[in-house]
């Protein structure tokens, strides 16, 4: 009886190739962020002329302690710009020890009234820790719901992967924050710059934002 049932199942699978395809795909894992490492570390070899999803590893014998230390966040802030804020990222491109570990870091500095404009990190979620000051911070979901509030020194907030978010200094003094992301290269895409600085056809911009040609031209100059 058991043999008969097994034979029936086998015949059914052979007659339904789509079922076999589904069974082949079933064991595949879907990663929410960067793939898991396969060794203790894989320090990026930035000298290799290879185009990969990540970087090839240095030979372990060539790895030093300095590969795991990043000094970029010690640089003085440069907030004398149009938005009154700056972001210094420790991504794998300048911090090779991050390669394959699925993490990165950034320092945000704000002059009084400074703004990190609406942007996204397409490949990573973000967690922000306020070192000094008060920030009005928030994100917008895909159904256009805003989650935002003022966060102060010592507070922590999360921005989910890929969602538009921002930080504005609402205090009466400069502010600073440290950010961590769950990707070695989370990406940083400013919304306004991507829209008006990427040579999208003027007609698309006019119809999307209900703008006249003069306004489109002015915005393209600002964000190019």
């Amino acid at each position: 009886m058991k043999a008969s049932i097994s034979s029936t199942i086998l015949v059914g699978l052979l007659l339904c190739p789509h079922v076999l395809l589904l069974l082949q795909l079933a064991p595949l894992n879907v990663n929410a962020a960067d793939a898991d490492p396969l060794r203790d570390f894989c320090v990026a070899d930035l000298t290799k002329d290879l185009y990969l999803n990540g970087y090839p590893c240095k030979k372990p014998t060539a790895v030093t302690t300095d590969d795991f230390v990043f000094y970029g966040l010690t640089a003085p802030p440069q907030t004398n710009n149009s938005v009154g804020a700056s972001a210094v990222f420790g991504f794998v491109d300048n911090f090779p020890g991050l390669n394959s570990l699925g993490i990165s870091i950034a320092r945000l500095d704000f002059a009084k009234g400074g703004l990190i404009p609406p942007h996204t990190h397409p490949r990573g979620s973000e967690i922000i820790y306020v070192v000094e000051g008060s920030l009005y911070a928030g994100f917008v979901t895909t159904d256009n719901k805003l989650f935002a509030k003022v966060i102060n020194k010592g507070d922590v907030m999360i921005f989910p992967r890929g969602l538009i978010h921002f930080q504005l200094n609402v205090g009466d003094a400069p502010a600073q924050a440290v950010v961590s992301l769950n990707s070695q290269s989370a990406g940083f895409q400013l919304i306004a710059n991507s829209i008006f600085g990427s040579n999208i056809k003027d007609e698309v911009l006019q119809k999307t934002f209900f703008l006249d040609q003069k306004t489109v031209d002015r915005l393209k100059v600002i964000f190019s």
Side-chain angles (χ1 to χ4, degrees):
M1 183 68 175
K2 290 182 178 179
S4 176
I5 294 174
S6 299
S7 298
T8 302
I9 294 173
L10 178 59
V11 171
L13 289 174
L14 292 175
L15 293 176
C16 300
H18 296 298
V19 176
L20 287 174
L21 178 60
L22 288 173
L23 289 174
Q24 289 176 332
L25 293 177
L28 295 179
N29 293 321
V30 177
N31 294 306
D34 295 358
D36 289 335
L38 300 177
R39 47 177 62 87
D40 288 345
F41 56 79
C42 173
V43 173
D45 189 341
L46 304 179
T47 65
K48 289 287 193 294
D49 187 20
L50 295 173
Y51 192 76
L52 301 170
N53 189 24
Y55 286 96
C57 306
K58 274 186 180 182
K59 291 182 178 180
T61 53
V63 172
T64 69
T65 302
D66 280 340
D67 287 317
F68 302 101
V69 180
F70 182 60
Y71 303 98
L73 302 190
T74 62
Q78 301 295 323
T79 59
N80 56 338
N81 51 51
S82 60
V83 294
S86 67
V88 178
F89 292 100
F91 284 170
V92 67
D93 301 311
N94 57 0
F95 191 1
L98 295 177
N99 196 41
S100 82
L101 298 183
I103 54 174
S104 56
I105 194 168
R107 168 178 163 173
L108 310 181
D109 287 280
F110 304 80
K112 184 178 178 180
L115 170 71
I116 300 293
H119 64 281
T120 71
H121 303 292
R123 297 179 293 275
S125 297
E126 173 182 333
I127 186 166
I128 183 172
Y129 170 78
V130 181
V131 178
E132 290 290 345
S134 298
L135 302 174
Y136 174 64
F139 63 90
V140 180
T141 65
T142 54
D143 57 355
N144 295 325
K145 183 175 181 179
L146 174 67
F147 290 86
K149 69 176 302 180
V150 174
I151 53 177
N152 301 296
K153 180 178 180 178
D155 291 342
V156 173
M157 188 173 184
I158 297 169
F159 307 111
R161 177 180 178 177
L163 297 185
I164 296 173
H165 58 284
F166 57 86
Q167 298 95 16
L168 170 69
N169 182 7
V170 293
D172 56 4
Q176 185 183 101
V178 173
V179 161
S180 181
L181 303 107
N182 69 334
S183 171
Q184 67 181 35
S185 184
F188 180 71
Q189 186 173 28
L190 289 164
I191 304 304
N193 298 66
S194 295
I195 296 296
F196 293 101
S198 58
N199 294 318
I200 294 176
K201 190 175 178 64
D202 288 356
E203 184 180 359
V204 174
L205 300 176
Q206 290 171 356
K207 291 183 175 181
T208 300
F209 299 103
F210 304 100
L211 302 174
D212 57 36
Q213 184 63 53
K214 183 178 180 180
T215 303
V216 169
D217 290 340
R218 182 169 61 85
L219 291 172
K220 291 179 77 171
V221 169
I222 293 172
F223 293 107
S224 294

